[in-house]
Amino acid sequence: MNILLIGSGGREHALAWKMAQNSKVEKIYCAPGNGGTAKEDKCENVNLNKIDELLKFAKENKIELTVVGPEVPLVDGIVDEFKKEGLKIFGPSKYAAGLEGSKSFSKDFMKKYNVKTAEYAVFENAEASIDYLKTCSYPIVIKADGLAAGKGVVICEKYEEAEETIKSFMVDDVFKGSGKKVVIEEFLRGVEASILSITDGTTILPFVSSKDHKQIFDDNKGPNTGGMGAIAPNPYCTKEVLESFNEEILKATLHGIQEEKMDFTGIIFFGIMITEKGVYLLEYNVRMGDPETQAVLCLMESDLVDLIEAALSKKLTEFDLKWHDGNACCVVAASKGYPGKYPTGFEITGIEDVDNKVFCAGVSLENGVYKTNGGRVLCASARGNSLEEAIEKAYADINKVKFDGIYYRKDIGKAR
Ligand code: AMP
Ligand code: GLY
């Protein structure tokens, strides 16, 4: 079986590594992939990005399954385009991908189907939103409606900050269209968790819970990043939390997907907030999380290609999804300066000297030499019999990796 895997991050390296373990898989083409996928078993990078190029490649190279890592091609409708040509692809339709692609669409969906979520209002006019902000209590959360590469959410402590945010989103148009419409939302205080899951449109099968570490510095300080590390399971996801999640979020979401007749075979990722008032849904994503994937897949015992095929043939209810006991941890190493400006092109050593696994993200491979070429460069992922053991192993590995300006948090798995 030949697979086409779309994306270039650490998540995609982890997906490639896991899918390569299936004996039916002969080749995984990673488009465009990275320095890690270039050397992964059964993998080959192909420098393609555009949907029409990917479609042509899939037809010409007997691709039997296409797996999409990031949200942008899903929101742009890659699944509809591939299906029109009779190609097998794992992911939601363009319409269903609106659950991630438009915050107002997803909040309206949550409200319509009684999914427990924060109160909100939607605005398409800057003056009206500023008038509304004068009536709010603070903090308040302002969200750009469209995709904004993880930068479209601002928690405003005061009115003045909220007004500034609205001006930059709606008047200065910093997100080039994505912030012309905004969602203004009640602020929730609590602990976040990521629940990745797989759906075939009739069942949603949740994965083991996980926890991202979004801020750049220890103790959850400093600006948000794409994610500086993850653990699985999430220690705050107790049995009670998971029961509330199942009753008030998962079941209501599945009902909504069915009522709206969404064509959704793919990943659905619930970003939840565990508060004193209960478990709330912050957002849906329609793809795996990064870096959550690099921890969660270390715990997945079942075969991922078999799981995806079960979803595609609408047989998820029959699938016995198995997990390893224990815990996983991944620690992300970033370039100095990230999430602001950073230099690239530094040689990386130690990737192949680790005891567990390194997943590459912003890594290129030039004449056999690994070099940095992104903000989040790579992560060390490990599984242990306890959280402490998983953390210890991941840190022992990240300490073996060297490049100029390497930076990583020291408290992954320990911070709240
Ligand atoms: P979202 O893309 O909607 O998940 O928002 C990105 C991040 O902003 C979340 O992971 C939270 O850390 C934070 N956030 C979003 N909505 C809220 C909210 N209503 N209350 C508090 N924090 C929020
Ligand atoms: N780690 C959060 C995300 O992938 O959106």
Side-chain angles (χ1 to χ4, degrees):
M1 174 187 223
N2 289 339
I3 294 179
L4 174 62
L5 170 64
I6 297 170
S8 62
R11 163 184 54 206
E12 285 75 24
H13 188 185
L15 286 165
W17 163 81
K18 182 72 182 161
M19 292 196 297
Q21 292 167 21
N22 181 303
S23 58
K24 286 181 303 192
V25 172
E26 281 160 48
K27 186 122 197 181
I28 303 176
Y29 293 100
C30 305
N34 60 40
T37 57
K39 287 188 88 174
E40 193 60 56
D41 189 28
K42 303 184 185 175
C43 293
E44 182 181 327
N45 287 351
V46 286
N47 193 15
L48 303 172
N49 272 304
K50 297 201 184 89
I51 295 181
D52 55 346
E53 292 170 354
L54 293 162
L55 193 63
K56 186 160 174 276
F57 181 87
K59 284 203 242 168
E60 288 172 357
N61 291 275
K62 299 199 177 70
I63 298 297
E64 285 151 90
L65 171 66
T66 297
V67 176
V68 189
E71 62 277 18
V72 173
L74 294 168
V75 171
D76 286 346
I78 190 169
V79 169
D80 309 56
E81 296 302 316
F82 270 56
K83 282 191 174 168
K84 254 190 251 163
E85 301 281 338
L87 293 165
K88 202 154 141 190
I89 182 163
F90 177 64
S93 64
K94 183 174 182 161
Y95 175 58
L99 289 176
E100 174 164 3
S102 163
K103 300 270 187 209
S104 60
F105 176 78
S106 82
K107 290 294 285 190
D108 291 347
F109 174 93
M110 293 176 210
K111 189 172 173 191
K112 184 168 175 191
Y113 294 102
N114 287 317
V115 179
K116 189 160 171 169
T117 191
E119 293 297 331
Y120 72 104
V122 180
F123 293 93
E124 290 188 75
N125 171 294
E127 277 168 28
S129 61
I130 287 173
D131 284 345
Y132 175 77
L133 286 171
K134 290 178 181 150
T135 68
C136 293
S137 54
Y138 287 79
I140 197 103
V141 187
I142 301 183
K143 301 185 174 185
D145 186 62
L147 294 181
K151 300 191 175 77
V153 176
V154 181
I155 296 169
C156 304
E157 299 293 338
K158 297 193 298 259
Y159 167 77
E160 290 72 23
E161 205 184 333
E163 189 186 316
E164 280 295 302
T165 304
I166 288 293
K167 282 189 181 148
S168 79
F169 281 21
M170 301 184 88
V171 182
D172 304 340
D173 195 17
V174 288
F175 297 124
K176 303 203 164 33
S178 281
K180 285 281 192 189
K181 195 178 197 180
V182 296
V183 171
I184 302 182
E185 191 174 293
E186 169 198 9
F187 174 78
L188 299 171
R189 203 173 293 281
V191 186
E192 282 179 64
S194 303
I195 309 208
L196 316 187
S197 61
I198 184 166
T199 184
D200 57 8
T202 48
T203 304
I204 299 179
L205 210 54
F207 293 175
V208 64
S209 63
S210 52
K211 180 170 168 56
D212 191 4
H213 296 67
K214 289 201 165 103
Q215 277 100 351
I216 186 77
F217 302 128
D218 284 12
D219 291 330
N220 300 332
K221 298 224 166 82
N224 268 346
T225 69
M228 294 303 294
I231 51 167
N234 183 321
Y236 295 93
C237 286
T238 58
K239 198 162 156 273
E240 292 72 36
V241 164
L242 291 174
E243 268 165 20
S244 311
F245 163 74
N246 192 41
E247 287 306 315
E248 289 169 292
I249 297 175
L250 186 148
K251 281 187 184 166
T253 298
L254 183 59
H255 176 66
I257 288 175
Q258 290 171 339
E259 286 292 305
E260 297 292 317
K261 300 197 169 34
M262 282 179 174
D263 178 5
F264 199 154
T265 302
I267 298 295
I268 181 157
F269 160 169
F270 301 86
I272 63 170
M273 183 75 95
I274 305 161
T275 78
E276 283 179 357
K277 298 183 292 175
V279 182
Y280 286 72
L281 182 65
L282 291 180
E283 64 166 347
Y284 295 113
N285 293 311
V286 295
R287 37 88 193 166
M288 304 274 278
D290 189 333
E292 289 92 330
T293 302
Q294 295 93 302
V296 166
L297 289 185
C298 292
L299 286 179
M300 188 182 278
E301 191 182 336
S302 298
D303 183 89
L304 180 60
V305 176
D306 290 348
L307 177 64
I308 290 175
E309 290 198 309
L312 285 164
S313 49
K314 306 237 172 286
K315 288 195 173 137
L316 273 187
T317 40
E318 294 163 32
F319 197 89
D320 183 18
L321 181 53
K322 288 207 174 86
W323 298 94
H324 292 292
D325 290 334
N327 301 65
C329 174
C330 90
V331 178
V332 172
S335 297
K336 187 176 177 191
Y338 175 78
K341 283 204 176 119
Y342 51 83
T344 59
F346 298 114
E347 182 174 346
I348 311 169
T349 58
I351 288 183
E352 281 150 20
D353 303 332
V354 299
D355 295 324
N356 302 283
K357 184 72 189 170
V358 164
F359 293 119
C360 294
V363 174
S364 61
L365 188 65
E366 294 168 34
N367 303 319
V369 178
Y370 290 113
K371 294 201 172 159
T372 64
N373 84 341
R376 288 191 299 166
V377 175
L378 48 78
C379 75
S381 291
R383 174 156 63 93
N385 292 321
S386 63
L387 178 58
E388 290 66 32
E389 191 185 314
I391 293 172
E392 208 170 287
K393 285 180 165 178
Y395 275 101
D397 281 351
I398 206 76
N399 282 325
K400 292 184 182 154
V401 174
K402 311 274 180 227
F403 59 84
D404 269 10
I406 187 169
Y407 169 78
Y408 50 88
R409 277 179 63 159
K410 305 290 184 297
D411 65 345
I412 301 302
K414 295 181 180 149
R416 188 178 144 87

